[in-house]
Amino acid sequence: MFKYMEAELFCLHCNKNTNHVIFYNNDGKIIRIKCQQCKTEIELKDDFIAKNNGLLEKSFKITEDLISELNKFLFSIPIKILKSPSDFINKKN
């Protein structure tokens, strides 16, 4: 028996965000993703997941690092610039 959920994902065939159905096996692993608009299906095999697991972990780490750095950057901006950016731009020119 499969479990599934719906999500909005970017479809490479439609070239835009569309509704997808994500199918899981009994272990909770994704086995198939299907675009609801163009009906394209992507099937994930265990060997594909095993080969690309390190890549996925690295991409999540990079995303976490970017968010962390963005937070540091935003907290380092003076409050005056955030409150009135037009004043800052006018003074700079």
Side-chain angles (χ1 to χ4, degrees):
M1 177 163 163
F2 296 111
K3 299 174 188 173
Y4 68 92
M5 69 176 276
E6 293 185 13
E8 185 175 314
L9 302 171
F10 184 81
C11 178
L12 295 173
H13 294 91
C14 298
N15 203 28
K16 62 181 178 180
N17 288 339
T18 59
N19 290 329
H20 287 71
V21 178
I22 304 170
F23 296 90
Y24 298 88
N25 65 10
N26 291 333
D27 297 331
K29 293 180 183 177
I30 296 173
I31 55 171
R32 188 170 82 220
I33 302 171
K34 181 178 181 179
C35 176
Q36 293 296 87
Q37 187 167 340
C38 69
K39 307 299 183 202
T40 299
E41 282 191 39
I42 298 172
E43 191 170 340
L44 301 175
K45 307 264 186 209
D46 284 338
D47 59 338
F48 173 82
I49 293 169
K51 281 192 269 183
N52 293 292
N53 192 31
L55 180 63
L56 294 172
E57 288 176 5
K58 287 178 186 175
S59 67
F60 287 130
K61 176 68 174 138
I62 290 170
T63 302
E64 288 174 359
D65 291 347
L66 286 173
I67 291 170
S68 172
E69 291 300 317
L70 180 61
N71 287 338
K72 288 178 191 174
F73 171 73
L74 290 175
F75 284 116
S76 70
I77 296 174
I79 299 296
K80 187 172 183 173
I81 293 172
L82 295 175
K83 287 183 178 177
S84 54
S86 60
D87 291 345
F88 177 74
I89 293 169
N90 291 336
K91 288 180 182 178
K92 194 167 184 171
N93 291 333

